[in-house]
């Protein structure tokens, strides 16, 4: 039982990586007042580019760099449409998501002819698990050692990057000069402008960070979690990360915990035997289909504010304009 | 001979085809308080926004401290030693005073160092200029007067020698305004230059050294304050002699039309905005609600007109009783005979992207005369819209024109036309002349009095004390959600109302 | 009046310009894949119009896009960004299919209205729930409707594979229902008048879609309900002032959206496949967004845009058949570009076009 719990938590951690990365990316964009429903598209685009570049270079790290590149390109398109041209931010996001859906499959088929898949990556071109020092030695120490061995050690580099990104995001948002401007821009851009800071520049800076993190979340899907890209592989994860961010009230740590909660649902979905107890009561098929739906349902419950009212940055979604 | 702090030469600014500033020139001497006066829309704020780099002039030159200066952004203005206190404060509500002051001056990657430096400097400034404020307080917990002080501190911290204040007293009680003037005097004594933008003659006379008058985008006169008087300035502002008083016969109040008893309203954030308010409005009288903006008048109006549900008390209108459980929305209130000219016509009173004829039915669109069995009777709507537009002198009288293409005054007349034409029993009017030109103001005032004389009950809410004084038969003063007192218009005294607006009751004063 | 004509001209030119940019970029993608964009265009157009079978398929897809385009447009007029037509069509279609399976002995004249009603009810419910969350809890409809798409997908997979799949069949789909409740196909209808055309999935639903276009047009611009929806969508503060319930209209609009999206099921299930299939709605809902935006949320524009995407779908299929390197999903990519240029960047070239029109037609 104890090992089962550890294994599920371990899976939770691994599943949570794209959510955490994307949610941190979302925090940067939305704190600056730019809506980001486009995480889904960045994740999908990042996954495709990472897998492709990793396949061509046989290096996961080049793949990661590629995914960051596509993430930034997408967030700059979003920035051009919604910051510079003051277009509708939601429309721009949906456009990017659908564009990414089409582009990834068109390119995958044109280049690899595998029905929207990219070739399987060998071990060298993937992010493989890293054994932390002394994991083996501590393994037999009850509880602490087991947690260290099962839960903390033995993940790939992106898992550690994701969980380091959380405190870094928190520090940048709340303790850095850039963070002050970022938060002010999302709350009252006019006030920011009158202090001589460029609102649009701040938003573009935020979007670059957003693109980096959004792209990385995709790289995890195709070069760490799985070893290839497959059509529509983000499967709503970008939207779920967004919901986690909202529930976390645009704060890094609470958002991370919300991501973990979602991931927990995905993790137990893969281990239905823990529901053995319920088997006599609820038909298995019903239970399974409910588990399949549960992350989506939880997203809706979160967004509906049944776990506390979220107050968004005041200027979110409003393009900045000085003219009357 | 003192130096010239600011010199503007032939400034021109157009928004599309609308001329906001035309060949404006201005000279402000160092170490003085210089007033700029003009009606709403005379171009004062635009001019100052150009000086502060918010807009760019289409042509013209700016010199600061006798040096030709180009100001392309707020950044340039700050560098030239200009600070500005905007009409709507430029503060981040959720930040502390300190964070607001630091914003834009922070250096380095980490915030900590800048914060500490600013904290020391702020303490010095507070002492030097007697501008005490708790630097760790979050802005939205501070009263308006203190928020304004933060704005002044922000400007001083940035090394401003020239301070522009745009309508700084609009949100203050007369007493708070006096306090502000003492601060401005202090600043002048310490050698700062102050530019005060206002449309209130009292303030110009009370504090300025020199005054410039603007009208319809042009600078029409410069005077030394000591060499002019209210009457001359008023005439210069409006371009003709103005009647300060509206002609009206004494009221003949009838039976009560609206009765409000112990009304309480708590908003979405849990703040009690209206506190135990009771009053009556009778047929054939105008009851004015005076008060500094933000003291619960807007909320009171919203509750009475059915826009917001309230928590305690009751409202009676034409024999119907509404309580917190027996609710009535805006449509129901209209059925009970209420008409409502809202405070904010752009956001509430009109759908500006709809045509005039679609706006003339807003709130009355279910009216049987507008509807056939399924579809609406468009021809009839357009015809009756045309008629109402003629009746209320809306120009141009084109029912197909989009509402956003009318001028402020004509938009307001469109709203007034819609609400007054229904022959309501009770009329609730909020800020009827905000941002409206003089001609339309007179027209609207006459219409309101005509409604009263036709035996309608009128409830008027306005932050313009002059408007309240000249239209109302009875005046209620609101402060912090409560009614502080009731005064008959004929024995109203501006000072007494001012004290009530500041929350000081008669017996305490 | 003249002003209105100028505005219409500007809007049309702006829309066409935006479309051309989207196509140009798509052409660049094709070129980058090493193919000839010009040849691709010719193949595409031939595939869509060149022979009557192609035209049939084009109009068959057009029928779907009219429904989902309208479904998006109604929401848009209410200030909603309904990207859940996908799920609403799926669930609405389930209703259509169930009615047909259940009442397959009845006359089509009875079953058709019942199917329409069921699809309105089920699709409407699928729209109403996100609408309710939007109206009462402020949850953003973009995320909730997407989530409802996923939930619909899970439900349908389970129902099709565990409940409706006939025993011994492998694929997760229902049995075929009796011929009596099939909507007549276009070649049959033409046959009544003695005209011979090739058999395609195009069926009578096409006329129903045209009727829906007219009804929606009158509903939005000529009824008090449409007036309320537009008021809520343009300025909800003014709506409250006017005594128009914002939440009721949001929910109502979402019900209408869901109902219209559900009609995809009539075309696909009653009109073509005659059974409930997996993913019959795939992509149709999302295409509706592009259709409505490029059609400026007006029924006439939606008709033209639906036709355009019908051409792209059918011609694109032909193209991917002819040219290996070009995948059917190219049309999804074009949709993204169209939404970007006709939606988010709609006013990119407006100043220039306005200037141009003014030069052309001085007052």
């Amino acid at each position: 039982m104890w090992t089962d719990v550890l294994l599920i938590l371990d899976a939770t951690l691994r599943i949570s990586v794209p959510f955490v990365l994307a949610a941190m990316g979302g925090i940067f964009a939305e704190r600056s007042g730019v809506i980001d429903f486009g995480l889904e598209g960045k994740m999908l685009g990042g996954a495709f580019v990472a897998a492709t570049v990793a396949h061509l270079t046989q290096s996961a790290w080049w793949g990661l760099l590629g995914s960051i590149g596509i993430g930034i390109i997408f967030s700059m398109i979003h920035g051009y449409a919604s910051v510079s041209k003051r277009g509708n931010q939601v429309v721009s996001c949906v456009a990017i998501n659908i564009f990414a859906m089409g582009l990834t499959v068109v390119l995958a088929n044109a280049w690899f002819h595998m029905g929207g898949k990219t070739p399987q990556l060998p071990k060298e071109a993937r992010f493989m698990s890293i054994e932390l020092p002394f994991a083996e030695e501590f393994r037999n120490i009850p509880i602490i050692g087991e947690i260290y061995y099962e839960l903390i050690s033995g993940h790939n580099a992106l898992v550690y990057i994701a969980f380091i990104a959380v405190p870094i995001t928190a520090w940048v948002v709340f303790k850095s000069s850039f963070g002050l401007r970022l938060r002010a821009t999302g709350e009252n851009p006019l006030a920011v402008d009158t202090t001589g800071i460029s609102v649009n520049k701040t938003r573009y800076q935020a979007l670059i960070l957003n693109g980096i993190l959004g792209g990385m979340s995709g790289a995890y899907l195709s070069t760490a979690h799985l070893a290839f890209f497959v059509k529509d592989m983000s499967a709503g994860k970008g939207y779920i990360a967004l919901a986690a961010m909202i529930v976390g009230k645009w704060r890094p740590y609470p958002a991370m915990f919300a991501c973990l909660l979602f991931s927990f649902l995905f993790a137990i979905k893969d281990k239905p035997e823990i529901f053995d107890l319920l088997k006599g009561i609820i038909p298995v098929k019903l239970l399974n289909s409910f588990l399949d739906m549960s992350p989506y349902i939880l997203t809706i419950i979160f967004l509906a504010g049944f776990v506390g009212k979220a107050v968004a940055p005041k200027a979110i979604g409003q393009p900045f304009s000085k003219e009357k | 001979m003192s130096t010239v702090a600011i010199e503007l030469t032939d400034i021109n600014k157009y928004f599309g085809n609308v001329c906001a500033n035309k060949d404006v020139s201005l000279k402000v001497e160092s170490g003085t308080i210089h007033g700029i006066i003009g009606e709403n829309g005379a171009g004062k704020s635009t001019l100052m926004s150009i000086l502060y780099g918010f807009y760019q002039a289409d042509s013209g030159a700016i010199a600061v401290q006798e040096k030709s200066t180009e100001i392309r952004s707020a950044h340039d203005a700050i560098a030239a030693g200009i600070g500005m206190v905007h009409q709507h404060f430029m503060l981040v509500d959720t930040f502390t005073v300190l964070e607001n002051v630091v914003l834009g001056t922070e250096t380095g990657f980490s915030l900590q160092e800048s914060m500490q430096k600013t904290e020391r400097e702020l303490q010095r400034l507070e002492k030097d200029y007697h501008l005490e404020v708790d630097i760790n307080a979050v802005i939205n917990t501070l009263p308006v007067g203190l928020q304004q002080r933060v704005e002044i501190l922000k400007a001083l911290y940035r090394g401003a020698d020239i301070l522009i204040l745009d309508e700084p007293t609009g949100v203050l009680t007369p007493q708070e305004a006096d306090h502000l003037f003492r601060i401005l005097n202090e600043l002048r004594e310490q050698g700062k230059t102050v530019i005060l933008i206002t449309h209130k003659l009292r303030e110009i006379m009370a504090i300025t050294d020199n005054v410039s008058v603007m009208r319809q985008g042009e600078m029409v006169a410069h005077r030394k304050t000591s060499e002019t008087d209210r009457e001359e300035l008023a005439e210069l502002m409006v371009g003709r002699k103005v009647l300060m008083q509206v002609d009206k016969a004494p009221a003949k109040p009838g039976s009560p039309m609206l009765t409000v008893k112990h009304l309480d309203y708590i908003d979405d954030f849990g703040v009690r905005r209206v506190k135990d308010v009771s009053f009556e409005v009778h047929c054939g009288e105008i009851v004015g609600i005076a008060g500094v903006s933000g003291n619960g008048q807007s909320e009171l109006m919203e509750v009475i007109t059915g826009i917001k549900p309230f928590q305690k008390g009751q409202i009676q209108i034409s024999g119907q009783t509404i309580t917190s459980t027996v609710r009535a929305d805006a449509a129901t209130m209209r059925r009970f005979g209420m008409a409502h000219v809202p405070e904010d016509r752009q956001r509430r009173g009109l759908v500006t992207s709809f045509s005039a004829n679609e706006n003339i039915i807003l709130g009355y669109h279910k009216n049987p005369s507008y509807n056939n069995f399924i579809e609406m009777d468009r021809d009839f709507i357009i015809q009756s819209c045309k008629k109402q537009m003629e009746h209320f002198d809306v120009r141009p009288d084109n029912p197909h024109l989009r509402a956003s293409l009318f001028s402020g005054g004509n938009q307001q007349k469109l709203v007034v036309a819609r609400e007054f034409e229904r022959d309501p029993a009770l009329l609730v009017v909020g800020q009827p002349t905000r941002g409206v030109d003089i001609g339309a103001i007179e027209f609207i005032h006459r219409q309101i009095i005509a409604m009263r004389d036709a035996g309608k009950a009128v409830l008027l809410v306005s932050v313009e004390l002059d408007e309240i004084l000249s239209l109302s038969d009875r005046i209620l003063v609101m402060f912090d959600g409560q009614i502080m007192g009731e005064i008959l218009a004929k024995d109203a005294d501006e000072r007494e109302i001012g004290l009530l607006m500041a929350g000081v009751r008669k017996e305490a004063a | 009046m003249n002003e209105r004509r100028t505005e219409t001209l500007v809007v049309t030119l702006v829309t066409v310009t935006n479309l051309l940019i989207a196509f140009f970029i798509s052409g660049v993608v094709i070129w980058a894949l090493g193919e000839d964009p010009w040849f691709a265009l010719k193949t595409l157009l031939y595939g869509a119009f060149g022979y009557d079978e192609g035209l049939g398929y084009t109009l068959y897809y057009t029928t779907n896009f009219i429904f989902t385009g309208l479904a998006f447009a109604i929401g848009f007029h209410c200030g909603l960004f309904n990207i859940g037509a996908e799920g609403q069509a799926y669930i609405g279609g389930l209703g259509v299919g169930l009615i047909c399976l259940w009442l397959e002995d009845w006359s089509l004249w009875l079953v058709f209205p019942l199917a329409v009603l069921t699809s309105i009810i089920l699709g409407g419910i699928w729209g109403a729930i996100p609408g309710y969350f939007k109206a009462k809890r402020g949850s953003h409809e973009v995320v909730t409707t997407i989530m409802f798409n996923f939930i619909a997908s899970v439900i349908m997979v389970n129902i099709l594979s565990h409940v409706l799949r006939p025993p011994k069949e492998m694929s997760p789909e229902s049995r075929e229902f009796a011929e009596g409740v099939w909507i007549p196909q276009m070649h049959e209808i033409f046959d009544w008048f003695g005209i011979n055309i090739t058999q395609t999935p195009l069926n009578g639903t096409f006329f129903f879609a045209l009727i829906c276009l007219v009804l929606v047009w009158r509903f939005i611009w000529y009824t008090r309900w449409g007036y309320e929806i537009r008021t809520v969508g343009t300025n909800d503060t003014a709506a409250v002032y006017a005594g128009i319930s914002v939440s009721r209209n949001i929910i109502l609009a979402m019900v209408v959206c869901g109902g219209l999206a559900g009609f995809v099921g009539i075309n696909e299930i009653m009109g073509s496949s005659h059974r409930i299939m997996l993913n019959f709605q795939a992509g149709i809902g999302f295409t509706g967004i592009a259709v409505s935006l490029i059609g400026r949320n007006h029924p006439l524009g939606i008709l033209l845009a639906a036709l355009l995407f019908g051409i792209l779908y059918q011609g694109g299929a032909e193209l991917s058949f002819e040219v290996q390197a070009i995948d059917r999903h190219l049309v999804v990519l074009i949709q993204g570009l169209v939404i970007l240029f006709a939606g988010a960047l709609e006013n990119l070239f407006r100043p220039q076009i306005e200037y141009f029109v003014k030069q052309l037609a001085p007052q």
Side-chain angles (χ1 to χ4, degrees), chain B residues 32 103 136 156 231 241 256 270 288 318 365 382-383 395 400 404 406 432 435 445 489:
Chain B
T32 62
L103 185 65
N136 290 315
L156 294 175
E231 283 69 27
K241 286 213 188 284
S318 13
H365 55 282
I382 289 165
Q383 267 172 30
R395 277 176 256 178
H400 296 286
S404 59
F406 290 91
H445 281 177

Side-chain angles (χ1 to χ4, degrees), chain C residues 164-219:
Chain C
L164 291 178
R165 178 171 56 92
K168 290 181 195 146
E169 288 290 331
M170 285 302 288
S171 52
E173 52 188 51
S174 77
R175 68 179 163 79
E176 191 176 73
F177 30 78
E179 217 165 313
V181 294
W182 296 6
I183 289 180
Q185 288 188 297
M186 203 56 91
H187 69 275
E188 294 170 316
I189 296 175
F190 271 70
D191 205 37
W192 300 338
F193 303 101
I195 306 168
N196 251 325
I197 57 168
T198 320
Q199 178 180 352
T200 63
L202 182 63
N203 58 76
T205 318
F206 180 68
F207 300 115
F208 180 58
L210 296 181
I211 294 169
C212 286
L213 278 170
V214 176
L215 290 180
V216 168
W217 173 53
R218 299 307 288 190
F219 174 78

Side-chain angles (χ1 to χ4, degrees), chain B residues 29-251:
Chain B
E29 282 174 37
S30 267
T32 62
I33 299 183
H34 192 115
I36 296 179
I37 193 162
E39 282 191 88
N40 287 325
K44 305 170 303 230
S45 292
T46 307
L47 186 65
M48 290 304 119
S49 298
I50 289 169
L51 186 51
Y52 194 65
F54 200 68
Y55 299 135
Q56 266 86 63
D58 298 330
S59 69
I62 302 174
V64 182
Q65 310 294 10
E66 303 185 342
K67 273 202 301 281
S68 173
T69 311
E70 243 190 282
I71 299 178
R72 261 177 269 101
S73 68
H75 195 86
D76 295 344
I78 294 166
I82 300 171
M84 183 151 176
V85 176
H86 293 82
Q87 192 172 357
H88 305 284
F89 301 151
M90 294 297 170
L91 297 169
V92 181
D93 270 3
T94 51
F95 280 17
T96 64
V97 173
L98 183 59
E99 284 177 317
N100 266 291
V101 177
V102 172
L103 185 65
T105 67
E106 70 278 0
T107 48
F109 194 66
S110 169
L111 200 52
Q112 206 179 7
E113 202 180 313
S114 309
M115 292 281 250
Q116 283 164 351
K117 190 180 134 237
T118 309
E119 194 171 341
R120 285 193 298 274
E121 177 69 12
L122 261 187
Q123 276 156 357
R124 190 185 66 75
L125 284 173
E126 289 192 10
K127 223 176 282 151
D128 286 0
Y129 295 97
H130 305 290
L131 288 163
E132 287 77 16
V133 55
D134 174 11
I135 59 169
N136 290 315
V138 175
I139 294 297
N140 59 21
T141 65
L142 292 177
V144 199
L146 284 182
Q147 294 188 12
Q148 193 171 52
R149 224 176 266 184
V150 177
E151 284 281 42
I152 297 174
L153 277 171
K154 249 172 79 178
L156 294 175
Y157 176 75
R158 285 161 170 73
D161 288 318
I162 302 156
L163 195 64
I164 307 167
L165 292 105
D166 188 2
E167 300 281 359
T169 58
V171 290
L172 303 181
T173 64
Q175 282 74 14
E176 280 177 317
D178 288 342
H179 190 131
L180 173 71
F181 292 159
R182 283 200 295 279
I183 293 173
L184 296 185
N185 263 323
E186 177 90 38
L187 289 169
R188 170 169 56 184
E189 272 157 34
Q190 307 223 16
K192 307 276 181 194
T193 309
V194 177
I195 300 177
L196 177 70
I197 301 168
T198 181
H199 67 282
K200 292 177 185 160
L201 291 164
R202 180 180 92 97
E203 294 169 4
I204 294 291
M205 301 314 291
I207 188 157
T208 60
D209 301 307
N210 299 299
V211 54
S212 301
V213 186
M214 287 190 79
R215 185 175 70 226
Q216 290 171 352
E218 291 181 70
M219 198 57 95
V220 290
H222 303 281
R223 295 282 186 276
K224 272 199 163 357
T225 312
S226 53
E227 293 165 6
T228 185
D229 55 34
R230 281 178 180 233
E231 283 69 27
E232 189 197 14
L233 290 177
E235 206 182 315
L236 284 167
M237 265 167 75
V238 186
R240 64 189 157 102
K241 286 213 188 284
V242 266
L243 289 167
M244 295 299 238
Q245 207 61 43
V246 184
D247 284 329
K248 61 172 193 205

Side-chain angles (χ1 to χ4, degrees), chain C residues 36-309:
Chain C
D36 177 6
W38 189 242
F39 174 75
L41 181 66
K42 273 193 294 189
T43 316
L44 191 142
L45 287 179
Y46 177 77
F49 294 121
Y51 50 106
D52 66 350
E53 194 182 355
L55 184 63
Y57 271 95
T58 299
L59 291 178
Y60 165 66
Y61 293 130
T62 302
T63 310
N64 284 333
F65 301 148
I66 289 174
F67 292 133
T68 53
L70 288 176
F72 180 84
I74 296 260
F76 203 80
H77 281 294
C78 195
L80 299 166
F81 206 81
N82 170 32
I83 57 175
E86 200 89 4
Q88 291 148 15
Y90 216 173
I91 298 293
L94 172 70
V96 172
L98 289 178
I99 285 288
C100 292
L101 285 171
W102 184 36
L103 304 173
E104 58 187 341
D105 308 328
W106 292 25
S107 146
L108 179 65
W109 295 107
L110 282 171
V111 177
F112 181 74
L114 281 174
V116 167
L117 193 69
T118 321
S119 120
I120 292 176
I121 292 171
L122 285 186
I125 288 174
W126 217 246
I129 305 170
Y132 174 85
F133 281 122
K134 167 81 175 180
K136 299 289 182 187
R137 315 284 319 182
S139 336
H140 203 290
E141 70 281 3
V142 163
V143 183
T144 43
T145 51
I146 275 277
M147 291 300 127
F148 268 79
N149 289 349
F150 287 115
I151 295 172
S153 197
V154 174
I155 290 177
M156 288 299 281
V157 168
N158 280 285
I159 288 185
L160 285 175
S161 45
H162 302 312
V163 185
L164 291 178
R165 178 171 56 92
K168 290 181 195 146
E169 288 290 331
M170 285 302 288
S171 52
E173 52 188 51
S174 77
R175 68 179 163 79
E176 191 176 73
F177 30 78
E179 217 165 313
V181 294
W182 296 6
I183 289 180
Q185 288 188 297
M186 203 56 91
H187 69 275
E188 294 170 316
I189 296 175
F190 271 70
D191 205 37
W192 300 338
F193 303 101
I195 306 168
N196 251 325
I197 57 168
T198 320
Q199 178 180 352
T200 63
L202 182 63
N203 58 76
T205 318
F206 180 68
F207 300 115
F208 180 58
L210 296 181
I211 294 169
C212 286
L213 278 170
V214 176
L215 290 180
V216 168
W217 173 53
R218 299 307 288 190
F219 174 78
I220 290 280
W221 275 282
Y222 291 87
T223 69
R224 48 191 179 279
W225 307 289
Y227 178 82
E228 291 201 349
I229 283 178
R230 284 186 296 128
T231 306
V232 169
T234 328
N235 182 344
D236 57 356
T237 320
V240 177
Y241 158 78
I244 298 169
S245 163
V246 173
S247 45
R248 210 193 58 211
N249 275 287
I250 287 179
I251 297 171
L252 174 74
M254 285 301 288
V255 169
V256 179
C257 288
L260 283 163
F263 294 160
V264 167
I266 307 235
N267 188 40
E268 286 284 330
I269 291 173
M270 265 182 104
S272 164
S273 65
H274 310 129
R275 72 186 76 200
I276 313 174
M277 307 219 306
L278 208 57
N279 292 328
F280 68 82
Q281 88 311 348
I284 297 169
F286 285 129
T287 310
I289 306 169
V291 165
S292 181
L293 285 176
I294 201 79
R296 300 203 68 93
N297 313 300
H298 189 286
L300 183 63
I302 288 172
L303 174 65
L304 296 174
L307 186 63
L308 176 75
F309 273 95

Side-chain angles (χ1 to χ4, degrees), chain B residues 288-344:
Chain B
I289 294 186
V292 176
S293 129
N295 274 289
Q297 309 96 306
S298 309
E299 289 82 359
L300 179 64
M301 269 183 84
E302 289 174 343
V303 167
I304 290 177
T305 53
I307 289 172
K308 299 253 166 79
F310 54 94
Q311 286 83 2
K312 250 198 273 178
Q314 65 173 36
I315 297 171
Q316 283 172 330
I317 167 175
S318 13
Q320 308 279 345
T321 303
I322 299 136
T323 65
S324 58
T325 45
V326 186
R327 289 182 178 170
D329 68 354
T332 318
M333 293 308 273
R334 280 197 176 82
R335 270 206 305 285
F336 293 162
M338 176 181 293
H340 176 197
V341 177
E343 289 183 318
D344 188 341

